Amino acid sequence: MLNIHNLSVSFGGTYLFEEVTFRLGSGDRVGLVGKNGAGKSTMLKILAGDFKPDSGQIATEKEVKMGFLRQDIDFEHGRTVLDEAYEAFTEIKAVEKKLESINHQLVSRTDYESAAYSQVIEDLSDYTHRFELLGGYNYVGDTEKILLGLGFKREDFNNQTDTFSGGWRMRIELAKLLLQSNDILLLDEPTNHLDIESIIWLEGFLRNFPGVVVIVSHDKMFLDNVTNRTIEISLGKAYDYNKPYSQYLILREEIREKQLATQKNQAKKIEETEKLIEKFRAKASKASMAQSLIKKLDKVERIEVDEDDNSVMNISFPVSQVPGRVVIEAEHVTKAYGDKTILKDISLLVERGSKIAFVGQNGQGKSTFMKAIVNEFKYQGSIKLGHNVQLGYFAQNQAEYLDGEITLLETMTNAATDTNRSKVRDMLGSFLFRGDDVEKKVKVLSGGERNRLALCKLLLQPINVLVMDEPTNHLDIKSKNVLKAALKKYEGTLLLVSHDRDFLQGMSNIVYEFKDQKIKEYLGDINYFLEQRNMENMREVEKKDTDKLSSGVAKDQKETNKVSYEDQKKSKALQNRLSKVESQIKQLEMDIQQDDKALASNYDKHSEDANFFMAYNKKKKELDRLLEEWEIVQGEIDML
């Protein structure tokens, strides 16, 4: 489907990658991985045709359709969420508009015997057939399913895209991409703005996608659950294995160990041969033998071991001083933006040494509660900090607070105190900013580099309570592993918001789920929470409470079974109704198609039959009504 041959790209005389070759075929779900700055996003842009390589070729099969989820998007003002999502169906919308025009002509025109009217009838048949082939009768329902899967609610559908944050706009763009009939999907950090529920839904969608998927992601669990192949770009080379990410790491390490062993044996043989050459050179009678060994040695192909870029951050979070037993006490916290209440009557007690994860869908108030803790805005209720508490806050958009016009060194020096100002160069070095890097302006840094700088800056202040909102955004997998190890060793109190399941594993002893303006406590880590909330089928999270009841509470168990039975009964009734409507739609479509053929084959006969046209238009109106009914019933099923 797609052949990449000897691609090379260089910047400032240094190769980003050189002579990279691989092939992509149907069913390939590729994780394109590597450290920040390795060239992953550049490779995606080359595959999409947005960027030209210095050398090499890309060959695609004819009529291959490619969709690319970019990090920078631009919407047209004035469109609703549905309007924007429908932009995925450009041809369907064009045909639909043409059919509306044709139907209007059929109603308004009276020149039944003219050639022009006959042509209108033929056009109607052609466009109706084309509309059906394109999936015109399904696109509305498909759009709603995708939007619901990505976390939108039905009440969001008719809201203007301008009213949504950049993360939600990215979801709309992702929805458009998934709705198009693409053969190849190129996804650059698709999970960056998704919550856990939407990520799991997207995993299921991509696993069933029949074409090619190439994903740049730093979400290890997402890669393991979706991909069947890994291409790592490291130090200018590409390493390609038919394994998901975690299996690839094991396999690559085994290969490197074999390469090292083989290289060691080869080096030993070469050393022995060189000793023989030196020995034979000293004797005239053995000179020809020495020359023969030299020629033989020159022909030996030296075994090389795959290079690995193991440079990682060196990070630790020291505790400034021991605070009191209670570090944060929140009572009846309520926060609203205009008419929209985000948090309502939230009370929470955080004790010293707690490791707490905040989870839940986007927009449920996790970041809002964190901002309330650090007193970023006014709210109802109270939040008290305990004795000797020193907060360190890492905001979700922390990198945006950095001044792009000053250097890294100036950024750190300006934030330093008299006690640690002399250490800023060493601190920058431990975060992989070395040598001349510290003189770069912040604005030239990548997203991952800015996050590293923000983390480094955070360490300049005394901390015993860490409040961190999505600290892993834009960090590569190795950097995330280092950050996770540092936070696990951290002896202070940690409050953490993240949608990265792998990062959250083993990080907390308490999980709070934010949902419907409230919070619910789970005494365990993210795995315990996922089990309790049955997150393998995230749609059920919105409908049922999966906490198992003890066998002794028979009455409650009976009520639960009753509700379950009622849900099943209602679902079955709706499914039967949906099947009936679909059957009626199918029959009407066949009847209308037969009428179209009758008009096309014997126009003179039918043009004089007023009853024929009356029945014809009645069928069209009934079809429109049934399609609306289908959407309503399908919507009720989705909400169960």
Side-chain angles (χ1 to χ4, degrees):
M1 191 173 285
L2 192 67
N3 287 300
I4 295 87
H5 184 66
N6 286 344
L7 282 189
S8 297
V9 172
S10 62
F11 292 102
T14 303
Y15 277 103
L16 194 59
F17 44 80
E18 187 176 9
E19 295 188 351
V20 169
T21 298
F22 56 89
R23 184 184 182 280
L24 301 174
S26 293
D28 281 341
R29 298 191 298 276
V30 179
L32 188 60
V33 301
K35 294 187 66 178
N36 288 329
K40 306 182 298 295
S41 293
T42 301
M43 178 63 79
L44 283 189
K45 290 174 182 176
I46 291 172
L47 297 180
D50 290 0
F51 186 83
K52 288 188 176 181
D54 296 338
S55 61
Q57 296 177 329
I58 298 178
T60 59
E61 295 177 5
K62 290 183 178 180
E63 298 182 1
V64 167
K65 292 180 66 178
M66 191 179 302
F68 182 20
L69 179 68
R70 298 170 175 83
Q71 290 299 307
D72 50 332
I73 56 175
D74 186 25
F75 286 153
E76 185 176 311
H77 295 291
R79 285 180 182 158
T80 66
V81 172
L82 275 180
D83 290 338
E84 189 63 47
Y86 289 158
E87 289 299 303
F89 305 102
T90 50
E91 189 175 356
I92 288 178
K93 296 293 286 182
V95 174
E96 188 176 51
K97 191 173 181 180
K98 189 67 178 176
L99 283 171
E100 287 175 5
S101 173
I102 292 172
N103 283 319
H104 178 72
Q105 290 182 56
L106 287 174
V107 172
S108 60
R109 293 178 65 154
T110 57
D111 55 334
Y112 304 129
E113 297 181 4
S114 68
Y117 195 87
S118 179
Q119 183 61 50
V120 171
I121 297 298
E122 288 185 24
D123 290 344
L124 176 65
S125 178
D126 292 341
Y127 280 107
T128 301
H129 182 61
R130 182 63 181 161
F131 189 70
E132 187 177 352
L133 286 177
L134 292 172
Y137 297 118
N138 301 321
Y139 82 91
V140 172
D142 290 344
T143 300
E144 292 185 1
K145 286 179 183 178
I146 296 291
L147 289 172
L148 290 169
L150 289 174
F152 288 94
K153 296 179 180 178
R154 289 190 179 275
E155 51 264 36
D156 297 328
F157 289 175
N158 293 315
N159 292 340
Q160 301 281 312
T161 58
D162 299 353
T163 63
F164 291 88
S165 66
W168 283 97
R169 292 187 193 183
M170 185 66 75
R171 292 187 190 213
I172 300 171
E173 191 67 16
L174 179 57
K176 286 162 61 177
L177 200 67
L178 300 183
L179 286 164
Q180 294 165 352
S181 300
N182 290 303
D183 302 298
I184 300 173
L185 289 177
L186 307 176
L187 307 178
D188 194 357
E189 295 287 1
T191 64
N192 255 6
H193 300 285
L194 300 182
D195 49 52
I196 293 175
E197 178 176 344
S198 299
I199 290 171
I200 293 176
W201 179 89
L202 180 60
E203 287 175 353
F205 183 96
L206 294 177
R207 278 197 298 266
N208 294 318
F209 182 73
V212 173
V213 184
V214 182
I215 304 168
V216 169
S217 178
H218 297 137
D219 187 328
K220 178 183 172 185
M221 191 172 290
F222 179 73
L223 289 171
D224 283 343
N225 289 341
V226 173
T227 64
N228 54 21
R229 180 177 170 190
T230 301
I231 297 178
E232 180 180 15
I233 299 177
S234 177
L235 301 174
K237 293 184 179 180
Y239 301 92
D240 186 355
Y241 295 94
N242 289 320
K243 298 285 183 183
Y245 182 74
S246 293
Q247 294 180 38
Y248 154 73
L249 289 179
I250 297 170
L251 181 61
R252 189 180 172 194
E253 188 57 35
E254 290 174 354
I255 290 171
R256 287 189 81 253
E257 288 176 1
K258 289 178 181 178
Q259 288 175 337
L260 282 167
T262 307
Q263 186 188 55
K264 188 176 180 180
N265 290 334
Q266 187 188 59
K268 186 177 180 181
K269 290 180 181 178
I270 289 172
E271 184 182 359
E272 291 172 354
T273 304
E274 287 173 341
K275 286 180 180 178
L276 283 175
I277 290 170
E278 291 301 317
K279 182 179 178 181
F280 292 158
R281 270 178 176 167
K283 299 179 181 179
S285 60
K286 301 287 186 178
S288 60
M289 189 176 290
Q291 288 300 317
S292 177
L293 287 173
I294 290 171
K295 290 179 181 179
K296 183 180 178 181
L297 199 58
D298 288 340
K299 292 179 181 178
V300 172
E301 187 174 335
R302 305 297 171 108
I303 294 170
E304 294 184 1
V305 178
D306 294 342
E307 291 184 83
D308 196 8
D309 189 352
N310 288 313
S311 55
V312 293
M313 297 186 296
N314 180 17
I315 179 174
S316 64
F317 294 96
V319 176
S320 56
Q321 59 180 328
V322 178
R325 185 181 67 84
V326 176
V327 293
I328 299 172
E329 186 175 2
E331 293 184 332
H332 309 296
V333 174
T334 298
K335 176 61 181 176
Y337 294 98
D339 295 333
K340 187 173 183 181
T341 301
I342 305 298
L343 301 171
K344 188 174 182 179
D345 201 30
I346 300 296
S347 296
L348 176 66
L349 189 74
V350 179
E351 295 188 346
R352 180 183 62 231
S354 298
K355 298 290 194 298
I356 297 174
F358 291 162
V359 301
Q361 285 188 322
N362 289 339
Q364 293 294 326
K366 303 182 299 297
S367 297
T368 300
F369 188 65
M370 282 198 161
K371 289 176 181 177
I373 291 174
V374 298
N375 206 27
E376 273 204 9
F377 47 62
K378 292 182 179 179
Y379 52 86
Q380 293 177 290
S382 68
I383 297 179
K384 298 175 184 176
L385 300 183
H387 179 64
N388 285 340
V389 167
Q390 293 176 314
L391 286 177
Y393 176 48
F394 187 94
Q396 186 176 145
N397 57 342
Q398 186 70 44
E400 295 177 14
Y401 291 104
L402 300 172
D403 186 347
E405 297 302 322
I406 63 176
T407 66
L408 280 68
L409 187 58
E410 289 170 333
T411 299
M412 290 290 289
T413 304
N414 293 346
T417 63
D418 292 337
T419 57
N420 57 27
R421 188 166 285 112
S422 61
K423 300 177 182 178
V424 294
R425 279 187 176 271
D426 290 338
M427 292 176 69
L428 284 167
S430 68
F431 279 79
L432 305 182
F433 299 116
R434 296 169 182 145
D436 294 338
D437 288 343
V438 300
E439 301 299 337
K440 288 181 181 178
K441 286 193 174 183
V442 172
K443 65 183 179 183
V444 305
L445 301 180
S446 67
E449 289 171 330
R450 288 192 183 205
N451 251 30
R452 279 194 273 127
L453 178 60
L455 284 168
C456 187
K457 184 182 174 185
L458 181 65
L459 294 178
L460 290 170
Q461 56 182 294
I463 300 167
N464 54 27
V465 177
L466 267 174
V467 180
M468 308 191 83
D469 191 357
E470 295 286 2
T472 62
N473 274 356
H474 305 295
L475 289 182
D476 58 51
I477 294 174
K478 288 183 178 179
S479 296
K480 284 202 292 188
N481 290 340
V482 172
L483 176 60
K484 180 175 180 177
L487 290 176
K488 289 182 78 170
K489 290 180 182 177
Y490 175 58
E491 295 179 355
T493 306
L494 174 66
L495 274 65
L496 176 65
V497 170
S498 178
H499 298 302
D500 188 322
R501 290 159 294 167
D502 180 70
F503 184 76
L504 285 172
Q505 283 182 336
M507 287 288 283
S508 65
N509 48 31
I510 303 172
V511 174
Y512 283 102
E513 181 190 20
F514 283 66
K515 182 181 177 183
D516 298 333
Q517 306 169 357
K518 301 291 185 181
I519 60 172
K520 183 175 181 180
E521 183 182 61
Y522 294 83
L523 298 176
D525 70 353
I526 190 64
N527 288 336
Y528 175 77
F529 167 73
L530 292 174
E531 290 170 6
Q532 293 299 304
R533 298 299 285 148
N534 195 15
M535 296 289 266
E536 290 180 3
N537 183 357
M538 291 300 301
R539 295 298 92 192
E540 290 190 5
V541 171
E542 296 301 314
K543 301 164 238 160
K544 301 176 184 177
D545 188 350
T546 59
D547 286 342
K548 292 183 179 178
L549 302 176
S550 62
S551 56
V553 193
K555 184 178 179 181
D556 288 347
Q557 184 66 57
K558 186 177 179 180
E559 286 298 315
T560 301
N561 292 337
K562 183 179 178 182
V563 171
S564 177
Y565 172 75
E566 291 299 327
D567 282 347
Q568 292 175 13
K569 187 177 178 182
K570 186 177 180 181
S571 176
K572 188 175 181 181
L574 286 170
Q575 290 289 354
N576 290 338
R577 184 179 166 194
L578 189 71
S579 297
K580 183 178 178 181
V581 171
E582 286 176 342
S583 178
Q584 289 173 320
I585 289 172
K586 186 176 180 181
Q587 184 60 50
L588 264 179
E589 287 175 344
M590 290 174 61
D591 291 346
I592 291 170
Q593 195 172 9
Q594 288 296 323
D595 288 348
D596 290 337
K597 289 180 180 178
L599 279 169
S601 62
N602 196 346
Y603 174 77
D604 291 338
K605 175 184 176 183
H606 295 291
S607 63
E608 297 176 0
D609 188 351
N611 291 331
F612 177 91
F613 278 102
M614 190 180 296
Y616 179 84
N617 287 326
K618 188 176 180 181
K619 291 174 186 175
K620 298 277 288 186
K621 288 179 181 178
E622 178 64 5
L623 179 60
D624 290 338
R625 187 194 67 76
L626 286 170
L627 289 170
E628 288 180 9
E629 184 180 351
W630 183 92
E631 289 180 34
I632 293 169
V633 176
Q634 184 63 58
E636 290 178 13
I637 291 172
D638 290 341
M639 292 299 288
L640 279 177

